[in-house]
Amino acid sequence: MSAKPRRGITNDDLFALRWDRGRRDLIGPLHRLYGPDSADLLDRLRDLLKKHWRARPADLRRLDLERDLNPDWFLSENMVAYVFYIDRFAGDLKHLPSRIDYLRDLGVTYAHMMPCLKPRPGANDGGYAVMDYTAINPALGTMTDFRQSNLALRASGISPVIDMVLNHTAKEHDWAVRARAGDPFYQAFYRMFDDDTLPRQYEKTLVDVFPDQAPGSFTWYDDIGKWVWTTFNEYQWDLNWENPEVFLAVLDNILFLANRGVEVFRLDAVAFMWKRMGTTCQNLPEVHDILQALTQATRVAAPAVVHKAEAIVGPQDLVPYLGTGRHAGRVSQLAYHNNLMVQFWSTLASGDSRLMTHVLKTHFPESFRRASFAPYIRCHDDIGWAITPEDTAHIPHMDAKAHRNYLADFYNGTHPDSFAQGADFQVNADTGDRRTNGTFASLAGLENASTPDAEDKAISRIALGHALIASYGGIPLIYMGDEIGMTNDHSYLDDPARADDGRWMQRPMMDWDAAVATQGRAARIRADLSHILRVRKATPQLAGMIPTRVVDTGHRALFAYQRLGDDREVTCIVNFTDRSQTLRTADALLREVPQTDLLTGQRLITSEGRMTLARYQSVWLRPD
Ligand code: OTU
């Protein structure tokens, strides 16, 4: 029997318990990544985690406990994300709290502040070239302002979210500067080569990310006499994740920021973190080990925090980012659903949902273990038309390359049937592939709408997209300005640091006049979205842990899916065309009638199994 006097649990006791729990999920990936002699690494990791746990502010420790008791918090139907640039939305961090009412009004519970850590001077890829992960971009404020603003967000029930760029740092980052000065410890943080033998061999199977503005994946530096791996722009140096020092150093930064109130980290460009000769160096299995190790380590020292992986990849490659096989329930809890996004635009153009149904039904499980997608329609990046020949082979007369071309033409506005106004991006001379820029509203036809009817259709398309992401599962990401139908912004062309990057077209300054308008098209779009989000929050079947089953209606114009709630299911049907459509086999889809459409409140009693949807209408049906 222990002779110890009885006492309450201390923070160190709690740490010991958390470490014991996390250790098991850390050993496997660390062993696979860094070899069997990682005992010393494990000790150093524990010390690092303990250091941050001890420094963790009391309010955040309380949040840790809350989320330990409610680990599904981020899967709630209440969750709604808003994605914005601090300067473009609020000016700076000091002014951000004054915009919280606007976010609350919309129903936002998750505020993704686009890159806000200290970037390199000059061109910085929209902030994705960070020179100091422990400092805030001085143009936006200080670390104290950041902590204050995060406290204000949390007090309003909004989770602060920031980008964590994992694949590369700016070449001005202290690690890179030391590497460049010849320090071998820091040279091992990057991927450097004395001559071009290996780079040439790698290049054979690499895919160019920015073929226009930054061709190639390696850069030669005369002063150090080395090639450096630079997947993106020249000034973004790829980190060498084969080095455990990189793992510890990056984790140190993550936990530092977690202790300043960050609740979700958007892990940037994770697909590229591991490299192997003879592959595209994307989505390698080791990436999932890194993500598991980061997620589980964070869970020890900052349990309130979750991670969202950003991997804009094809369907087969996307699923593992939410945990499959040995990683199930252990990797990043969220991941962008870029395939839903691509299929939304594809079906909106063609009015034919067969490819969408096929892709979403065949490649994606109905649910994940303690993880879910973040569905979205637009973001700050271009749209890459991730449509594969394997998938189009299932659709009669459809060819992948031709369809990708059709979509690029449709959305740059040159196709005769197009309602869209966008632009090509990164035309790849070798493959002929093009990606697409433009805001949600411009691509949905609002910019080109010259008649009230055309405007009405565009507004309906926007509502359709918002209803889709609000009901499909996971946390819907609303991109700043989309709630008021902001169209393309061409002012970036006047700024030399941005002019060569067409993605700025979809990164406008927030139009606050339009945002507070009570009449007109911005007000309509915003009212539609607010309504959709209110209904979402009142519908527990739309929570992230509820499985999503895609259903083939046999009717091309209609895309359908069911949320398989414990008690009742919700059946969502979307008419992707500008004509009304009648589903003649509605009763095959709906086990019980009558049902009520949660969006309009209308009761549906099918007559002989028929149901008619107005143009671009979405219905969310639930048995009464
Ligand atoms: C991300 O995107 C960011 O969202 C971009 O804004 C950055 O430029 C980039 O990383 C570099 O930091 O290639 O076209 O599969 O598609 O990570 C965008 C993932 C990108 C990549 C994605 C990357």
Side-chain angles (χ1 to χ4, degrees):
M1 283 279 287
S2 153
K4 268 192 196 160
R6 295 181 61 158
R7 59 171 174 81
I9 192 159
T10 68
N11 272 324
D12 282 356
D13 295 338
L14 267 180
F15 179 80
L17 291 170
R18 293 194 186 288
W19 172 252
D20 269 355
R21 178 183 72 180
R23 212 175 156 273
R24 278 172 291 164
D25 291 334
L26 283 162
I27 290 177
L30 291 178
H31 189 106
R32 286 191 292 275
L33 291 168
Y34 305 120
D37 305 323
S38 37
D40 168 59
L41 175 64
L42 218 57
D43 287 346
R44 288 178 61 202
L45 174 59
R46 193 197 50 225
D47 292 348
L48 177 72
L49 298 180
K50 193 162 187 177
K51 174 185 96 179
H52 287 288
W53 169 255
R54 284 186 165 162
R56 193 146 169 86
D59 59 322
L60 294 174
R61 280 214 194 111
R62 204 199 128 89
L63 193 64
D64 291 336
L65 189 59
E66 261 176 49
R67 289 182 179 170
D68 269 339
L69 297 172
N70 179 23
D72 288 339
W73 66 275
F74 63 95
L75 298 172
S76 158
E77 66 276 15
N78 195 42
M79 294 298 287
V80 172
Y82 191 75
V83 185
F84 59 94
Y85 291 90
I86 295 167
D87 54 345
R88 300 185 158 246
F89 180 67
D92 58 22
L93 281 166
K94 279 215 162 62
H95 290 90
L96 180 55
S98 69
R99 296 299 187 192
I100 289 179
D101 282 348
Y102 178 80
L103 297 177
R104 281 179 59 151
D105 245 30
L106 207 58
V108 171
T109 63
Y110 173 121
H112 175 188
M113 299 168 272
M114 292 292 291
C116 58
L117 300 177
K118 190 178 175 186
R120 73 187 291 270
N124 57 37
D125 190 23
Y128 288 98
V130 178
M131 66 180 283
D132 186 351
Y133 292 84
T134 62
I136 294 295
N137 180 349
L140 304 174
T142 63
M143 194 47 85
T144 310
D145 299 332
F146 183 60
R147 175 74 175 122
Q148 291 303 324
S149 151
N150 289 345
L151 280 167
L153 288 165
R154 170 89 320 267
S156 299
I158 300 175
S159 296
V161 182
I162 67 164
D163 288 83
M164 189 68 204
V165 187
L166 294 182
N167 178 67
H168 44 266
T169 70
K171 67 176 178 185
E172 288 77 7
H173 190 285
D174 185 48
W175 304 335
V177 171
R178 287 167 189 248
R180 204 160 172 172
D183 183 335
F185 181 78
Y186 287 103
Q187 289 195 341
F189 270 48
Y190 298 92
R191 291 180 176 268
M192 299 186 156
F193 307 88
D194 294 330
D195 60 53
D196 67 355
T197 320
L198 289 172
R200 272 165 180 276
Q201 283 177 34
Y202 278 115
E203 287 275 18
K204 284 187 187 146
T205 49
L206 291 174
V207 185
D208 234 355
V209 183
F210 294 142
D212 267 4
Q213 85 213 36
S217 299
F218 300 88
T219 307
W220 171 256
Y221 292 90
D222 257 339
D223 55 335
I224 38 172
K226 284 188 195 297
W227 288 92
V228 179
W229 198 311
T230 53
T231 297
F232 293 88
N233 292 289
E234 172 276 323
Y235 51 75
Q236 290 160 302
W237 286 15
D238 287 41
L239 283 164
N240 173 18
W241 282 86
E242 279 176 53
N243 179 355
E245 299 298 338
V246 167
F247 173 77
L248 291 174
V250 170
L251 186 61
D252 195 17
N253 286 334
I254 290 179
L255 296 174
F256 171 88
L257 292 162
N259 281 355
R260 270 129 202 100
V262 176
E263 295 176 31
V264 182
F265 288 89
R266 171 199 180 274
L267 307 179
D268 182 64
V270 291
F272 300 86
M273 285 198 295
W274 201 266
K275 331 277 190 193
R276 182 173 301 123
M277 186 67 78
T279 72
T280 58
C281 298
Q282 287 193 51
N283 312 304
L284 290 169
E286 287 82 353
V287 167
H288 304 293
D289 282 327
I290 300 173
L291 293 175
Q292 175 169 331
L294 288 174
T295 301
Q296 296 307 321
T298 306
R299 193 162 163 244
V300 172
V305 170
V306 300
H307 293 297
K308 175 174 60 178
E310 189 253 356
I312 307 305
V313 298
Q316 282 98 331
D317 291 323
L318 180 58
V319 171
Y321 286 95
L322 288 172
T324 49
R326 61 158 74 109
H327 297 293
R330 296 186 168 123
V331 288
S332 1
Q333 294 87 343
L334 294 163
Y336 281 81
H337 203 331
N338 70 299
N339 289 277
L340 182 72
M341 182 274 292
V342 165
Q343 294 303 330
F344 161 81
W345 290 111
S346 165
T347 310
L348 195 65
S350 66
D352 183 338
S353 67
R354 285 177 300 171
L355 182 67
M356 182 173 198
T357 300
H358 170 76
V359 167
L360 295 171
K361 201 172 162 56
T362 11
H363 298 299
F364 298 95
E366 293 178 352
S367 59
F368 293 89
R369 208 165 116 197
R370 201 146 279 168
S372 192
F373 282 115
Y376 66 108
I377 297 294
R378 282 304 286 122
C379 70
H380 68 295
D381 282 333
D382 52 291
I383 304 174
W385 300 111
I387 286 166
T388 66
E390 292 74 29
D391 286 326
T392 52
H394 291 267
I395 314 300
H397 315 299
M398 187 181 254
D399 170 72
K401 196 171 170 128
H403 191 59
R404 288 199 301 268
N405 253 315
Y406 159 73
L407 292 171
D409 283 344
F410 193 97
Y411 288 109
N412 72 17
T414 55
H415 190 280
D417 299 339
S418 177
F419 46 72
Q421 181 66 64
D424 287 345
F425 182 64
Q426 302 297 326
V427 180
N428 190 322
D430 297 341
T431 63
D433 255 351
R434 288 173 289 161
R435 312 203 308 250
T436 299
N437 281 321
T439 68
F440 188 171
S442 290
L443 297 179
L446 197 63
E447 190 170 337
N448 277 348
S450 50
T451 64
D453 188 54
E455 180 174 292
D456 199 69
K457 283 187 195 169
I459 291 173
S460 307
R461 292 184 196 109
I462 295 171
L464 185 161
H466 281 146
L468 177 70
I469 58 175
S471 59
Y472 197 77
I475 307 181
L477 306 179
I478 310 297
Y479 185 61
M480 186 197 90
D482 288 351
E483 78 278 24
I484 50 169
M486 288 194 69
T487 52
N488 295 335
D489 175 11
H490 297 281
S491 63
Y492 73 96
L493 292 166
D494 305 327
D495 175 354
R498 297 186 288 144
D500 72 342
D501 191 336
R503 294 177 296 174
W504 286 97
M505 192 181 284
Q506 56 260 13
R507 303 170 185 174
M509 294 288 282
M510 183 63 176
D511 182 348
W512 284 105
D513 292 335
V516 298
T518 52
Q519 273 169 22
R521 65 192 205 184
R524 273 179 67 194
I525 294 168
R526 200 179 145 203
D528 284 349
L529 175 61
S530 296
H531 174 69
I532 288 165
L533 296 177
R534 267 197 307 276
V535 178
R536 165 182 164 84
K537 287 171 187 250
T539 311
Q541 292 83 4
L542 300 184
M545 57 288 221
I546 306 291
T548 302
R549 177 173 298 166
V550 175
V551 185
D552 190 348
T553 60
H555 189 310
R556 285 183 198 185
L558 304 176
F559 175 67
Y561 48 102
Q562 291 180 312
R563 303 302 310 277
L564 308 175
D566 273 352
D567 55 339
R568 290 178 289 177
E569 57 207 21
V570 169
T571 303
C572 305
I573 310 176
V574 189
N575 176 2
F576 266 96
T577 68
D578 64 359
R579 298 172 301 282
S580 73
Q581 301 283 350
T582 299
L583 180 61
R584 287 170 209 290
T585 54
D587 46 2
L589 201 61
L590 308 171
R591 277 190 305 171
E592 297 161 55
V593 277
Q595 304 225 1
T596 298
D597 171 25
L598 303 173
L599 286 168
T600 56
Q602 267 169 20
R603 207 127 180 265
L604 174 98
I605 303 168
T606 60
S607 68
E608 295 159 4
R610 284 162 192 257
M611 178 176 33
T612 299
L613 282 87
R615 70 181 187 191
Y616 297 124
Q617 188 182 1
S618 305
V619 292
W620 297 352
L621 298 164
R622 192 171 63 183
D624 291 344

